Amino acid sequence: MRYDSAQPSRHPRRTRRPRLTRRGRVTLIAGVLVLAGAGILVPLLLLREPAAPRQPPQSTRTLLIPEGWRAGQVYEAVDKALGVPPGTTRAEADTAALALPSAAQGNPEGFLFPATYPIDRTTTPRGLLRYMVTTAGERFGTGKVAHGAQRGSPSLYETVTIASVVQAEADTAEDMGKVARVIRNRLARGMPLQMDSTLNYALDRSTLDTSHADTRIESPYNTYTVAGLPPTPIGNPGEQAVHAAIDPPPGDWLYFVTVAPGDTRFTADYDEHLANVEEFNHNRRTAAF
């Protein structure tokens, strides 16, 4: 036996893995394709879970309910947004078993909370109404609101009613507290509220023009002739109006009128109020706003 004269290495060489040449790789791929053609790859594919059919993504949209909208406006908007026949949502409101205060007697006016709501093809009028009322319960049931309703004379339902009038009457958000104070002061003195917004609700309209004939209509919402609050809210107020109704600023105001946009005059003097009303009428005649 022949031996090399060189001394053996202390570190034996590692066995190198054979590398495929380019021609070898081509040959291997061709072999796999041949096996696939012979039916060997098919059983492997059959072991896999079949892919679930792709569902078309749901198209999510939004429905905006502005502050101050009446229930009728909300119903119409929901009908249109969900593509259901007119009157569907109004009918659902009568049978949806909404989580309303007992004083509401099933009428959701004031508790269809104004917000932006997501909707898709699975949304129903009943489900959306319940969501709005639940949201109102959560927002109006906060500590400040609940404590304010307990501390003062108005109940929660009365507070929401006052807030709905505030929402309709205040020209700006900054005026809400003063309007609420006027309402509180008039209630405390036993004076009729004399709010045009409640007349508009009774007549199902929105206008700045109130006639003497309007003030003589027979309606529990005619606060020119009926003392106290209207029997229900006259719209769906936002949180700011509700907080204004709970905690209005101090003041002796009994009258107010918006003589021009952004210029609402509050006073406790009736003669001063008449002068402000005359300025309002002048601006209306000359189309100042």
Side-chain angles (χ1 to χ4, degrees):
M1 182 177 291
R2 183 179 176 182
Y3 294 91
D4 291 334
S5 59
Q7 294 294 325
S9 173
R10 294 182 181 179
H11 303 285
R13 295 180 181 179
R14 296 178 180 175
T15 304
R16 293 184 178 179
R17 296 180 180 177
R19 297 181 178 179
L20 289 175
T21 63
R22 182 178 181 184
R23 179 179 296 178
R25 288 196 297 270
V26 171
T27 303
L28 179 60
I29 293 170
V32 170
L33 293 177
V34 170
L35 291 176
I40 294 177
L41 192 59
V42 174
L44 298 178
L45 293 176
L46 290 177
L47 292 175
R48 297 178 181 175
E49 286 286 329
R54 290 185 177 180
Q55 298 292 336
Q58 291 190 7
S59 176
T60 301
R61 297 167 288 132
T62 57
L63 172 61
L64 172 63
I65 304 299
E67 295 177 346
W69 263 19
R70 300 168 186 165
Q73 293 172 291
V74 176
Y75 299 152
E76 291 177 5
V78 173
D79 285 345
K80 184 176 180 180
L82 300 186
V84 297
T88 299
T89 305
R90 183 183 294 274
E92 287 288 344
D94 294 333
T95 61
L98 302 174
L100 297 165
S102 58
Q105 298 182 359
N107 182 357
E109 188 74 88
F111 292 85
L112 300 174
F113 191 78
T116 300
Y117 294 93
I119 58 175
D120 58 34
R121 66 172 183 270
T122 67
T123 305
T124 64
R126 176 170 298 202
L128 192 51
L129 289 175
R130 287 179 173 175
Y131 189 18
M132 291 178 184
V133 172
T134 298
T135 303
E138 292 173 350
R139 299 299 179 87
F140 298 161
T142 59
K144 183 176 180 180
V145 176
H147 179 69
Q150 293 170 0
R151 180 187 57 196
S153 55
S155 66
L156 175 60
Y157 190 72
E158 290 169 334
T159 297
V160 174
T161 300
I162 293 172
S164 71
V165 178
V166 169
Q167 188 79 62
E169 291 282 349
D171 183 53
T172 65
E174 291 73 22
D175 289 338
M176 286 185 174
K178 289 184 176 181
V179 173
R181 175 52 65 190
V182 170
I183 294 173
R184 290 285 199 99
N185 288 345
R186 282 180 163 266
L187 290 174
R189 294 190 179 202
M191 299 173 63
L193 295 183
Q194 297 182 328
M195 299 289 173
D196 293 348
S197 58
T198 64
L199 282 178
N200 286 334
Y201 186 79
L203 297 169
D204 194 22
R205 69 181 189 186
S206 296
T207 181
L208 293 175
D209 298 315
T210 301
S211 67
H212 289 294
D214 292 336
T215 64
R216 294 193 296 269
I217 66 170
E218 292 186 9
S219 170
Y221 294 91
N222 183 358
T223 55
Y224 278 84
T225 59
V226 179
L229 292 171
T232 72
I234 61 169
N236 294 280
E239 282 184 284
Q240 191 167 6
V242 172
H243 287 294
I246 291 170
D247 192 20
D252 62 352
W253 312 294
L254 293 172
Y255 314 96
F256 69 91
V257 61
T258 300
V259 299
D263 183 9
T264 300
R265 313 274 178 84
F266 294 85
T267 181
D269 185 272
Y270 184 62
D271 290 335
E272 183 180 349
H273 175 63
L274 290 180
N276 291 335
V277 170
E278 179 54 35
E279 186 174 345
F280 162 77
N281 289 329
H282 173 74
N283 289 339
R284 292 288 290 167
R285 286 192 299 267
T286 57
F289 71 103

